[in-house]
Amino acid sequence: MKRSSRLSLALHALVHLYHQPDTAMTSATLAQCLMTNPVVVRRVLGELREAGIVSAAKGREGGWRLAQPADQISLQSIHAAMGESLLIRTQSDPGDEHCAIVRAVDGVMGEFIADAEALLAARLERVSLDDIARQAGPYPLHPPHGENAHAQ
């Protein structure tokens, strides 16, 4: 199973936002927490903004915030906003599309993967951002200026 680093990054950022309900967090601050580039944060959170999961404001007090209560944000909604598959899809070489065996294997494997993705999606629907944030424990995460709290 392919693990989506974008989904992991999105969840990580959302937990930070969960723990800062009264403060908007900038892409630069989140990037420091996630040890990535602010552009990556903006791309990922931009997709979540389109789905109504986060909101963003510009200006001095601007930044990212959760747009919904965390207990109403399912992992499935986050995953769907990212538009990625949790599983690697196997595909045959396009040159083989006229081969009956390749078509049969692709058909069987395609149904298997679709069933597996449906099961994963159902499981993701039962877990909320609030569940993950609570598992992360008390908020030791946001570093005061320039520190990496994950290294503590």
Side-chain angles (χ1 to χ4, degrees):
M1 175 188 304
K2 176 183 175 186
R3 296 186 65 186
S4 168
S5 63
R6 288 177 6 103
L7 178 59
S8 296
L9 190 134
L11 292 171
H12 195 150
L14 291 170
V15 170
H16 279 283
L17 296 177
Y18 169 92
H19 285 290
Q20 299 276 336
D22 299 324
T23 305
M25 294 185 74
T26 66
S27 298
T29 300
L30 285 166
Q32 183 181 10
C33 296
L34 279 59
M35 294 184 277
T36 190
N37 189 298
V39 172
V40 174
V41 171
R42 283 190 287 275
R43 286 183 185 152
V44 168
L45 292 183
E47 293 180 50
L48 298 176
R49 179 183 54 214
E50 293 297 318
I53 294 170
V54 297
S55 62
K58 295 180 180 179
R60 182 175 162 87
E61 301 295 323
W64 299 96
R65 294 176 189 262
L66 293 180
Q68 304 175 21
D71 63 349
Q72 295 177 18
I73 302 172
S74 73
L75 267 58
Q76 174 55 22
S77 65
I78 298 165
H79 172 257
M82 303 306 297
E84 295 182 340
S85 173
L86 290 171
L87 302 173
I88 297 172
R89 290 202 178 261
T90 57
Q91 294 182 344
S92 301
D93 181 342
D96 294 340
E97 66 188 19
H98 298 293
C99 174
I101 296 170
V102 169
R103 286 194 315 265
V105 169
D106 283 349
V108 169
M109 294 307 295
E111 289 177 22
F112 174 79
I113 290 172
D115 288 348
E117 286 184 335
L119 289 171
L120 288 170
R123 179 68 177 98
L124 290 173
E125 189 62 39
R126 295 193 310 256
V127 180
S128 72
L129 175 61
D130 188 64
D131 296 330
I132 292 176
R134 289 179 189 274
Q135 286 184 23
Y139 190 55
L141 306 172
H142 181 64
H145 305 283
E147 295 180 22
N148 181 353
H150 295 280
Q152 296 176 359

